[in-house]
Amino acid sequence: MVETELIRAAQSGDREALITLLREIENHVYRTAYYILNNEHDAMDAAQEALIRIYTKIGSYEEKAQFKTWIQRIVTNICIDKFRRNKPTVSIEEHELIFAEKQNVEEEVLNAYAAQDIRSAINQLPEHHRAVVVLRYLQDFSYNEIADSLNLPLNTVKSYLFRARQQLQTLLQEYQKGGVRG
Amino acid sequence: MNCQEVMEQMQRQLDHDLNENEELLLHNHIHQCRDCAAMFDRLKLLSAELSSLPKVVPGYSLVDAIMPQLDQLDRLESAHIAKSAAESSLARRKPRDRKWPSFRAAGSVVAAGIVAGLFIMFYNPNSGSRNDSAMMESASYSSAHESRAMDAPTAGTMASTPSSGSENLVEVTTEGIDHRAVKKDAEEQSVIQEPQKLQDNSAGADNGGSNSSSSDGSSGSSEAEAIEPVTDAIKGVQNKENGDSANGLIAPQAEDADHIASDYLGIASVVSSIEEISPNGEYTAVAHGYIISIYKIDDNSIVWETTRKNGELTALSWSEDSSQLKYEIHIENGAYEEYSIDMATGVDSKSSY
């Protein structure tokens, strides 16, 4: 994803290399924030905060870790903090989303709402389950990479991911039934 | 394999975590168990949908958005680095024996001297018409310049002797600056400048400034040799400044030279100093930076010098019989401590009340 040479240059104080590096990772950082926080505005904030932290902490990155897991650890930590602070607001938006969706039952938009359903369902997951799912599906991380990013044991990662998928599957099934009835 | 175990196999299958044998077992079970087959279908669908979630991108470049903050961080960082570099370089010098010149300081001084010399040459409208020896003089002045800053007041009263050459000057200068740096420690921490050389340079100039203003004419014996060539060099420049013929008859004025020095070096920082003469007129106590020096007025010799204190030194006051000097050290948050120096015993102690 990111070349080692670029990272080394950035670490040795090459500001231009560091900026280039940030540009290469900004979409990845934003995507994680977006799906964990389920809100564009908060995702922008969190991703910017993460990039600034990466900018200032680049010297503390050690090559024994993968760079991509290092940056995802930074962004997920920020998101989880933010998520905890924002909890009441998030749950209100959640209800609005579900409400809006149930009002609209036209066939042609059903496909578009499938993605919306999934996002609503992801939004129901506890924070760490959500982070595991996001890293698995939006960053294409392996179990080990997720474990490194979230600083969790491998078995915990698996159990979170499996439980999350089971819960999502149940929620989507409920949404589908709701949609048919609505 | 029961359905519960199969659930885990299905999950791992979604993550491509099964070996061939496990795949086979899973498929065998699903063929026989409709519930598990239905569940596996739903999970595969879910997994596919999760994989196809839109790869969202930010509406604008986040890096561009944070650029002002990054610039600000850089400024803070460089200020911090400059400050800590100054502290550490001064701290390193501290334990060094004053008799040994610091080659690092020498390098800085020579560099500063060259800069100052160039400044003078370009600044002085007369210098263009001067011959080579005038240029040389100017250059040697600039090397001597730092050392003059230390000893200027004395220079004014010394007899002029022929210059002993720039090599000697540099050596002497080094001695002077290192000596001062040891004594003065990190008192000009408030000066924040990015290049290390300027930092060193400012250390010298500041020290000199504070010394001159305190009418410090004294110097250790090791500096005595410095005075003569310095005086001579100053005269050369002084004369040029005044537009006089360079015959070296006019004694330089330390204050003027001092202003010239700081103007040319572009260093505006001032280390405040307070002076208090004893009631019997015998001594003068000077607080400069974090150190108090007590001089004998007769011959300007240092009779006492405190260690470096951890706060601003104020409220210097002599006892009526001139046997004691009291002073206050202002630490952070408005707190202060009272100290006194006993002139008879030379004991610098914290006042008990």
Side-chain angles (χ1 to χ4, degrees):
Chain A
M1 155 183 172
V2 177
E3 286 189 31
T4 319
E5 287 309 311
L6 188 60
I7 299 166
R8 283 184 189 155
Q11 285 194 297
S12 67
D14 181 342
R15 188 177 191 267
E16 216 165 294
L18 183 48
I19 299 290
T20 309
L21 188 61
L22 293 183
R23 289 193 194 283
E24 283 190 18
I25 63 174
E26 74 168 29
N27 286 349
H28 292 274
V29 168
Y30 173 75
R31 202 166 293 156
T32 296
Y34 179 83
Y35 281 103
I36 293 180
L37 297 169
N38 194 30
N39 167 325
E40 195 176 330
H41 178 76
D42 289 345
M44 282 290 198
D45 278 359
Q48 291 185 14
E49 197 179 328
L51 291 171
I52 290 171
R53 204 175 287 182
I54 291 162
Y55 183 87
T56 54
K57 304 276 183 210
I58 187 74
S60 69
Y61 164 70
E62 289 171 27
E63 274 179 29
K64 66 187 177 195
Q66 280 195 81
F67 188 66
K68 64 176 183 179
T69 62
W70 186 73
I71 61 169
Q72 290 299 328
R73 177 185 284 210
I74 289 172
V75 67
T76 50
N77 278 336
I78 289 171
C79 288
I80 288 170
D81 281 354
K82 246 183 163 27
F83 174 78
R84 285 175 183 158
R85 282 201 301 271
N86 289 352
K87 222 166 188 176
T89 341
V90 168
S91 69
I92 288 164
E93 283 173 9
E94 219 174 86
H95 287 300
E96 283 170 354
L97 270 175
I98 294 163
F99 184 64
E101 172 210 340
K102 281 182 178 169
Q103 282 193 322
N104 201 333
V105 289
E106 288 176 51
E107 283 288 316
E108 58 192 73
V109 293
L110 274 180
N111 279 344
Y113 273 107
Q116 187 70 275
D117 277 355
I118 293 179
R119 284 184 47 199
S120 302
I122 291 173
N123 213 27
Q124 309 273 348
L125 297 175
E127 60 206 30
H128 275 104
H129 292 65
R130 191 188 300 203
V132 169
V133 168
V134 169
L135 293 180
R136 162 68 179 83
Y137 285 101
L138 289 139
Q139 303 297 340
D140 286 319
F141 276 13
S142 68
Y143 296 150
N144 275 315
E145 287 165 347
I146 297 169
D148 286 348
S149 301
L150 299 176
N151 203 20
L152 293 171
L154 190 63
N155 281 334
T156 309
V157 168
K158 283 193 205 175
S159 92
Y160 281 4
L161 180 61
F162 297 173
R163 241 184 288 164
R165 271 196 296 236
Q166 218 169 338
Q167 197 178 341
L168 287 175
Q169 176 278 127
T170 311
L171 284 166
L172 285 172
Q173 215 175 5
E174 283 173 18
Y175 290 162
Q176 259 177 342
K177 283 176 193 162
V180 170
R181 279 182 210 133
Chain B
M1 202 159 59
N2 65 32
C3 293
Q4 192 56 45
E5 285 167 343
V6 170
M7 182 66 185
E8 187 177 326
Q9 299 298 101
M10 291 189 291
Q11 292 271 11
R12 287 178 53 210
Q13 200 280 336
L14 299 175
D15 301 319
H16 321 289
D17 194 41
L18 294 184
N19 62 34
E20 263 181 53
N21 192 33
E22 288 169 323
E23 289 268 359
L24 201 65
L25 286 169
L26 175 63
H27 279 280
N28 285 343
H29 180 89
I30 283 168
H31 273 296
Q32 298 157 12
C33 178
R34 285 187 57 192
D35 284 351
C36 283
M39 173 61 88
F40 191 43
D41 282 344
R42 287 202 297 276
L43 283 174
K44 278 197 289 193
L45 181 65
L46 169 73
S47 196
E49 284 177 338
L50 286 170
S51 298
S52 61
L53 278 170
K55 303 278 189 269
V56 292
V57 293
Y60 50 84
S61 163
L62 298 177
V63 174
D64 286 347
I66 60 170
M67 212 53 111
Q69 283 162 277
L70 300 185
D71 288 342
Q72 199 182 351
L73 282 169
D74 284 347
R75 280 194 295 275
L76 288 172
E77 178 75 1
S78 59
H80 180 73
I81 287 170
K83 192 179 174 186
S84 53
E87 280 164 5
S88 63
S89 75
L90 287 162
R92 271 200 306 279
R93 271 187 231 157
K94 196 176 178 182
R96 199 176 288 160
D97 188 327
R98 53 183 271 187
K99 296 232 160 131
W100 293 98
S102 153
F103 290 101
R104 196 164 160 216
S108 312
V109 169
V110 170
I114 290 163
V115 170
L118 289 171
F119 246 104
I120 290 160
M121 282 189 273
F122 287 110
Y123 181 79
N124 189 340
N126 295 332
S127 65
S129 62
R130 300 258 157 207
N131 61 22
D132 283 352
S133 75
M135 299 279 275
M136 283 300 288
E137 203 169 11
S138 172
S140 70
Y141 160 72
S142 62
S143 294
H145 186 265
E146 289 302 311
S147 140
R148 182 219 49 78
M150 317 284 174
D151 302 307
T154 321
T157 63
M158 295 293 289
S160 149
T161 60
S163 169
S164 38
S166 58
E167 255 180 48
N168 187 19
L169 278 176
V170 170
E171 205 176 299
V172 160
T173 302
T174 307
E175 179 84 10
I177 205 163
D178 195 42
H179 170 57
R180 291 293 165 181
V182 170
K183 282 209 299 188
K184 299 271 181 159
D185 215 349
E187 69 187 37
E188 57 298 307
Q189 280 166 9
S190 61
V191 187
I192 293 169
Q193 286 171 333
E194 291 182 29
Q196 183 59 41
K197 278 181 180 174
L198 266 179
Q199 194 77 37
D200 283 350
N201 179 12
S202 78
D206 276 353
N207 292 338
S210 67
N211 257 13
S212 312
S213 61
S214 67
S215 303
D216 162 22
S218 74
S219 323
S221 58
S222 64
E223 283 174 309
E225 314 87 71
I227 293 158
E228 292 168 0
V230 165
T231 307
D232 198 52
I234 289 166
K235 281 183 179 168
V237 169
Q238 195 75 30
N239 290 331
K240 272 187 270 176
E241 288 291 325
N242 295 340
D244 288 334
S245 60
N247 58 11
L249 285 175
I250 297 164
Q253 281 160 26
E255 290 84 353
D256 287 354
D258 203 43
H259 289 310
I260 294 161
S262 44
D263 288 352
Y264 282 163
L265 290 170
I267 291 155
S269 68
V270 173
V271 175
S272 63
S273 63
I274 310 168
E275 183 173 0
E276 190 67 33
I277 297 170
S278 66
N280 63 9
E282 203 176 327
Y283 303 110
T284 179
V286 180
H288 42 88
Y290 299 105
I291 293 170
I292 293 180
S293 305
I294 298 174
Y295 302 100
K296 198 167 187 178
I297 289 175
D298 277 356
D299 59 359
N300 270 329
S301 61
I302 292 186
V303 293
W304 175 258
E305 194 163 67
T306 64
T307 53
R308 185 177 185 277
K309 304 297 181 183
N310 58 351
E312 194 192 343
L313 302 169
T314 60
L316 268 58
S317 76
W318 288 93
S319 62
E320 276 181 35
D321 61 358
S322 304
S323 68
Q324 260 196 344
L325 175 74
K326 285 187 180 164
Y327 62 96
E328 290 172 7
I329 302 175
H330 285 245
I331 316 160
E332 284 171 8
N333 307 323
Y336 69 92
E337 291 174 338
E338 284 187 356
Y339 276 74
S340 66
I341 299 168
D342 189 311
M343 294 304 291
T345 60
V347 175
D348 179 15
S349 58
K350 191 170 173 177
S351 301
S352 49
Y353 47 90

